[in-house]
Amino acid sequence: MNLAERIKLVLNETGLNKSQFASKIKVTPATVAYWCSGRTKHLRGDYASRISRVFGYATFWLSEGQGPKMINQNESGFPLVSALDTERIPLIKIEDVEDKTKWKNDSFILTDLNMSSGSFAVEIKDSSMSPAFNIGDRVIFDPELTAAPGDYVIVKVRDETPVFRKLKVLGFSEDLKPVLEFVPLNNDFPSIQSDKLQTKILGVMTEHRRYRPSH
């Protein structure tokens, strides 16, 4: 089965036309039409990842036509999760935010939000943002959103492991650049100021999940 046949199969199984499918994975209808034309044999990795996150098809099957068709299948070959109206967001370790080679297709959470292709989720591992965010909570971030004062963000400080903090604007420097403070909600943890340490915002929170503790 070539790429055109695989894409047409996906369209048939999802019940979407080319325009609807393109809207779901955030490409142009012309791009989908090109895939269906048979003029290319392989699907770019980022496109395969988008289709995989939204619909559950395995990236290697999409791009190369090999391996299982779906990410998660039962013995009958049907997907365990129907993600037609949702997007699959990779659930990753906070230290792996910038290393997509460590993002796994089989570890994800679903959301019905309109997210960018590089979005990710992490599980809270410390109490720096308690009581609003507890250990075990899961938080979804979009790296393409512009952070505003009051937003919760993932921030990297120098070459250290990124941390989860609330963004505050302290003022402006002499060259009119905003001076940012990344504030923990738990006073036992330190704040971080952008005029004292090199900082980089890696994502803005879009959704917070809290689960009932297991006993």
Side-chain angles (χ1 to χ4, degrees):
M1 183 182 292
N2 61 31
L3 175 61
E5 291 170 335
R6 294 195 298 276
I7 295 299
K8 290 175 183 178
L9 176 62
V10 171
L11 291 172
N12 181 61
E13 292 184 345
T14 59
L16 301 175
N17 60 36
K18 293 184 180 68
S19 294
Q20 292 168 331
F21 183 73
S23 177
K24 287 281 187 183
I25 61 172
K26 301 178 180 63
V27 300
T28 65
T31 297
V32 178
Y34 180 75
W35 295 338
C36 292
S37 70
R39 286 179 285 177
T40 183
K41 295 182 179 180
H42 303 283
L43 190 65
R44 255 174 44 187
D46 56 335
Y47 289 141
S49 294
R50 294 186 197 184
I51 298 171
S52 177
R53 283 203 322 275
V54 178
F55 298 104
Y57 292 91
T59 55
F60 195 57
W61 179 83
L62 287 164
S63 61
E64 303 297 331
Q66 300 179 31
K69 184 173 69 171
M70 308 302 293
I71 292 175
N72 292 303
Q73 290 183 327
N74 59 24
E75 293 180 356
S76 300
F78 292 101
L80 298 175
V81 178
S82 176
L84 183 57
D85 296 315
T86 59
E87 292 195 44
R88 293 169 178 258
I89 305 298
L91 178 62
I92 63 174
K93 296 179 180 179
I94 195 168
E95 58 265 31
D96 295 337
V97 170
E98 292 186 291
D99 187 358
K100 290 187 177 181
T101 63
K102 296 182 179 179
W103 295 18
K104 299 179 180 179
N105 283 334
D106 60 353
S107 184
F108 61 88
I109 60 178
L110 300 175
T111 181
D112 58 1
L113 297 178
N114 187 16
M115 306 289 293
S116 73
S117 60
S119 297
F120 59 90
V122 300
E123 184 171 303
I124 303 299
K125 297 295 186 180
D126 63 46
S127 59
S128 62
M129 296 296 282
S130 65
F133 300 87
N134 296 331
I135 294 174
D137 290 0
R138 292 175 176 179
V139 189
I140 300 176
F141 297 89
D142 192 325
E144 294 189 9
L145 293 178
T146 300
D151 279 339
Y152 295 101
V153 300
I154 290 282
V155 59
K156 185 174 183 179
V157 184
R158 293 178 177 170
D159 294 324
E160 301 298 320
T161 297
V163 294
F164 181 35
R165 293 292 187 267
K166 184 177 182 179
L167 175 62
K168 180 179 179 181
V169 177
L170 295 179
F172 294 87
S173 62
E174 291 183 358
D175 56 358
L176 299 181
K177 291 183 178 180
V179 177
L180 306 179
E181 183 178 20
F182 300 94
V183 185
L185 302 183
N186 182 345
N187 292 330
D188 291 337
F189 290 77
S191 293
I192 302 159
Q193 290 186 206
S194 64
D195 60 339
K196 296 180 180 179
L197 294 168
Q198 181 182 4
T199 60
K200 179 183 179 182
I201 295 175
L202 302 179
V204 178
M205 188 189 82
T206 60
E207 188 173 347
H208 173 205
R209 304 275 182 89
R210 174 163 293 172
Y211 301 90
R212 181 178 182 273
S214 57
H215 298 285

